[in-house]
């Protein structure tokens, strides 16, 4: 109990120090999608520490190490992003199946997804598939889409899941992030890629989807499509 308390306190100080480091940076030096994801990760760290505190209070000690591991993974991700604030890096040739598997694992380990099941479906068409991509940009874009889908799903009382489906179609890799959340209301549909537009009550910066479009369309000559049914 005492040892776990020390670990929580040490990690809590680390979260505070990382947040201070983030605040001291000039936002203009960070790619918008980096700002977006670092903010989300740090918020998740704070919630993780609070969860660990509650678990200690209730003496549910067996669950504390997993909670702290997720916080630590998030801090490691923040540290990497702050050290690599630009996503417009030279493209690297990657094994597509391996890349998306690793990216999905990193996003999952960073926490914030544990309340909603998120499944990864890598189609057999990816076997032996290799493309040149901006790895950080695609990975962080995937994180934005998954986090948005998880938030939409949490708003419903239905037992739902988020599905990430990746397949190859000719010379293109197609990534689908599918949720059965609340849908996008008609009045918001023309604004979802607008700068500073967000439906979040707090903590929304309105840069996530705009940055995803930049990474996919400008850096990879791809396309971003979406479809929705209000209430579904």
């Amino acid at each position: 109990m005492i040892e776990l308390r020390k670990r929580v306190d040490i990690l809590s100080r680390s979260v505070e120090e990382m947040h201070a480091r983030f605040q001291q940076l000039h936002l203009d030096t960070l790619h918008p999608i980096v700002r977006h994801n670092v903010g989300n990760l740090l918020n998740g760290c704070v919630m993780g520490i609070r969860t660990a505190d509650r678990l200690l209070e209730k003496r549910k000690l067996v669950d504390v190490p997993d909670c702290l591991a997720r916080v630590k993974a998030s801090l490691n991700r923040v540290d990497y992003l702050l050290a690599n604030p630009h996503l417009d890096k030279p493209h690297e040739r990657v094994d597509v199946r391996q890349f998306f598997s690793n990216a999905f694992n990193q996003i999952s380990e960073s926490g914030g997804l544990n309340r909603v099941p998120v499944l990864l479906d890598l189609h057999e068409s990816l076997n032996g598939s290799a493309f040149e991509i901006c790895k950080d940009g695609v990975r962080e874009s995937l994180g934005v889409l998954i986090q948005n889908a998880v938030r939409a799903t949490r708003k419903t009382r239905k037992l739902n899941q988020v599905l990430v489906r990746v397949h190859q179609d000719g010379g293109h890799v197609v990534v689908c992030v599918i949720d059965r959340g609340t849908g996008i209301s008609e009045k918001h549909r023309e604004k979802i890629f607008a700068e500073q537009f967000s439906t979040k009550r707090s903590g929304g910066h309105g840069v996530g989807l705009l940055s995803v479009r930049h990474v996919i369309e400008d850096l990879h000559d791809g396309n971003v499509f979406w479809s929705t049914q209000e209430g579904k």
Side-chain angles (χ1 to χ4, degrees):
M1 174 76 171
I2 295 176
E3 180 62 28
L4 284 175
R5 179 72 266 171
K6 289 181 179 178
R7 288 176 59 186
V8 172
D9 292 342
I10 290 172
L11 204 52
S12 179
R13 288 193 293 271
S14 297
V15 171
E16 292 174 0
E17 291 169 359
M18 192 68 76
H19 191 272
R21 176 183 166 191
F22 178 46
Q23 293 296 104
Q24 290 170 0
L25 291 173
H26 293 290
L27 293 183
D28 290 343
T29 66
L30 300 174
H31 190 283
I33 205 169
V34 171
R35 297 204 309 266
H36 178 277
N37 284 358
V38 166
N40 283 340
L41 288 166
L42 287 175
N43 287 338
C45 287
V46 172
M47 290 188 290
I49 294 296
R50 290 175 181 170
T51 299
D53 282 332
R54 287 195 296 269
L55 291 171
L56 286 176
E57 290 174 3
K58 297 178 180 179
R59 295 188 177 276
K60 296 182 178 180
L61 306 185
V62 69
D63 296 325
V64 175
D66 284 344
C67 182
L68 296 183
R70 288 194 295 271
V71 173
K72 181 64 176 175
S74 292
L75 281 179
N76 289 341
R77 190 69 195 145
V78 171
D79 184 58
Y80 174 84
L81 289 173
L82 294 184
N84 299 272
H86 304 292
L87 299 182
D88 303 353
K89 293 183 177 180
H91 288 26
E92 299 177 50
R93 193 165 185 82
V94 300
D95 179 288
V96 176
R97 174 180 288 275
Q98 189 64 49
F99 169 79
F100 278 100
S101 178
N102 291 341
F104 181 80
N105 289 336
Q106 288 181 344
I107 294 166
S108 300
E109 289 170 1
S110 296
L113 311 183
N114 51 312
R115 296 182 184 178
V116 175
V118 183
L119 306 179
L120 177 63
D121 177 16
L122 297 174
H123 192 263
E124 61 182 11
S125 60
L126 297 176
N127 293 340
S129 178
F131 281 80
E132 290 190 357
I133 65 171
C134 172
K135 294 196 296 185
D136 286 351
V138 174
R139 180 170 48 239
E140 298 310 314
S141 296
L142 181 64
V144 169
L145 296 176
I146 291 176
Q147 289 285 357
N148 283 356
V150 167
R151 286 195 187 95
T153 303
R154 283 178 180 170
K155 293 179 182 179
T156 70
R157 294 186 177 182
K158 299 177 287 186
L159 294 176
N160 275 325
Q161 64 186 24
V162 172
L163 174 62
V164 181
R165 180 176 291 151
V166 187
H167 70 276
Q168 183 171 342
D169 182 7
H172 301 276
V173 174
V174 181
V175 182
C176 302
V177 180
I178 306 165
D179 69 74
R180 295 184 180 275
T182 55
I184 303 172
S185 65
E186 188 170 351
K187 65 179 181 181
H188 291 152
R189 293 176 188 177
E190 295 183 358
K191 305 176 184 177
I192 62 172
F193 291 111
E195 188 172 4
Q196 297 184 340
F197 172 74
S198 176
T199 59
K200 303 179 184 69
R201 294 182 179 179
S202 62
H205 304 291
V207 298
L209 291 178
L210 179 65
S211 297
V212 168
R213 172 176 271 184
H214 163 67
V215 169
I216 302 305
E217 297 189 352
D218 296 340
L219 300 186
H220 295 87
D221 196 26
N223 292 288
V224 179
F225 302 99
W226 60 273
S227 63
T228 187
Q229 287 182 278
E230 192 167 354
K232 294 185 179 181

